[in-house]
Amino acid sequence: MSGRRALTRNQALVLEVLTRADEPLSAYAILDRLRDEGLRAPLQVYRALDKLLETGEVHRLDSLKAFVACSHPHDHPCTGLVAFAICESCARVFEFSDSAIEARFAAWAVEKAFLTKSTTLEISGICAACRSSADGSNPSD
Amino acid sequence: MSGRRALTRNQALVLEVLTRADEPLSAYAILDRLRDEGLRAPLQVYRALDKLLETGEVHRLDSLKAFVACSHPHDHPCTGLVAFAICESCARVFEFSDSAIEARFAAWAVEKAFLTKSTTLEISGICAACRSSADGSNPSD
DNA sequence: GCAATTAATGTAATAACATTACATCACTTT
DNA sequence: AAAGTGATGTAATGTTATTACATTAATTGC
């Protein structure tokens, strides 16, 4: 019915926690939420995350040392370069792509003969909703 | 004689180590190189790094959890958005700017009413020198 | 000069993030 | 059933970063 590969139990648990969360979670935060499911050691989470990162079902935000579920449907893999905008106020993450940005990076790489393996694009700031609620409180809480 | 502000001893030591290094260094690697100068605790390095990051004299590479000296002269502050290309083979870092990329990010932010505070742009891969030495060895060692 | 203030420093302890090593279990293949 | 493979569980440890607190140095006002 789709190209989605089977997940192991731990992978499914981790992905479910991330999908439900409305903010990025650290590996240890994920672990805390899975104690009741029997998970006890960081490695159980990191192993699941490794697989989910490989397939693009999860992304790591280097600037936060935290993880988010990919916001795209995952019948197909996440293709192309992805950027993340992270709200410092409500912690929500906005995932987007821009082919022009992708093209400029590609052009730089060609010019410098640099072989690109992976790209990290993260912008940090305040999202529209948090800006319009001028007190800085989280508009959704 | 210039706009450069005075550095404290620890700040000067940390900046000097980073300037001499031809690869990014972790805070603890910096500390190790400054034992002889009397530094003993991570906090001494982190405090110096905090100041140097504020002024743009040093950059943090989130994807490596490591620090590099800014490659630009620092009579003036580092202006605009900066991207880093990091060679996985020789660890050298290439700092560059691209006004078109900057413009596209700005356009996205305007469209989404996102107030950008900071941006992380890092690409990881293999640099020209390492590619042409097909064995993968570091051509400068 | 000297108290009051502020900024930088030194030290220790601990928190937060991530990996290595190794034993075990489950499933498939033969 | 033996061999091979991939996932799991557990413990220990390694690495990165921060908190808390005491001290020292530089600055300001008197």
Side-chain angles (χ1 to χ4, degrees):
Chain A
M1 193 177 80
S2 84
R4 180 180 241 141
R5 111 206 124 68
L7 298 178
T8 67
R9 172 179 152 81
N10 287 359
Q11 288 161 21
L13 286 170
V14 167
L15 182 55
E16 193 188 351
V17 163
L18 284 177
T19 301
R20 276 211 241 277
D22 57 358
E23 57 179 18
L25 297 178
S26 74
Y28 280 74
I30 295 167
L31 178 57
D32 283 343
R33 298 186 185 200
L34 290 173
R35 300 266 181 211
D36 294 345
E37 305 295 337
L39 270 71
R40 312 179 143 275
L43 188 53
Q44 295 175 291
V45 171
Y46 281 111
R47 280 201 280 230
L49 285 171
D50 283 346
K51 280 292 179 194
L52 294 167
L53 289 168
E54 254 177 43
T55 62
E57 284 156 299
V58 161
H59 302 289
R60 179 175 201 277
L61 300 176
D62 287 331
S63 61
L64 296 183
K65 299 166 201 161
F67 303 85
V68 285
C70 181
S71 59
H72 297 128
H74 259 82
D75 298 347
H76 57 81
C78 227
T79 179
L81 152 162
V82 184
F84 302 91
I86 303 161
C87 180
E88 293 172 0
S89 173
C90 68
R92 256 184 277 278
V93 174
F94 307 88
E95 191 174 337
F96 66 101
S97 301
D98 185 302
S99 57
I101 291 173
E102 190 167 0
R104 294 295 293 180
F105 274 108
W108 180 90
V110 167
E111 184 195 335
K112 302 296 185 189
F114 188 92
L115 176 63
T116 300
K117 294 271 189 71
S118 68
T119 308
T120 297
L121 306 181
E122 298 172 23
I123 74 183
S124 186
I126 309 291
C127 76
C130 289
R131 286 174 81 183
S132 57
S133 66
D135 57 356
S137 68
N138 183 331
S140 77
D141 290 345
Chain B
M1 193 178 75
S2 84
R4 180 179 241 142
R5 115 206 122 66
L7 297 177
T8 66
R9 173 177 152 83
N10 287 358
Q11 288 160 21
L13 287 170
V14 167
L15 182 55
E16 194 189 350
V17 163
L18 284 177
T19 301
R20 276 211 241 277
D22 57 356
E23 57 179 17
L25 297 178
S26 74
Y28 281 75
I30 295 167
L31 178 57
D32 284 342
R33 297 186 185 198
L34 289 173
R35 300 265 179 211
D36 293 346
E37 305 296 336
L39 271 70
R40 311 179 144 273
L43 189 52
Q44 296 174 291
V45 172
Y46 281 110
R47 280 201 280 233
L49 286 171
D50 283 345
K51 280 289 179 197
L52 295 167
L53 288 167
E54 255 176 42
T55 62
E57 285 155 298
V58 161
H59 302 290
R60 179 176 200 277
L61 300 177
D62 288 333
S63 61
L64 296 182
K65 300 166 200 161
F67 304 85
V68 284
C70 181
S71 58
H72 298 128
H74 259 82
D75 299 346
H76 57 80
C78 225
T79 181
L81 153 161
V82 184
F84 302 91
I86 304 161
C87 180
E88 294 173 359
S89 173
C90 68
R92 256 182 278 277
V93 174
F94 306 88
E95 191 174 337
F96 66 101
S97 302
D98 184 304
S99 58
I101 291 174
E102 191 167 0
R104 295 295 294 178
F105 274 107
W108 180 90
V110 167
E111 185 195 335
K112 301 296 186 188
F114 189 92
L115 176 63
T116 300
K117 295 273 189 69
S118 68
T119 307
T120 298
L121 306 181
E122 297 172 24
I123 73 183
S124 186
I126 309 292
C127 76
C130 289
R131 285 175 80 182
S132 58
S133 68
D135 57 357
S137 69
N138 182 333
S140 78
D141 289 346

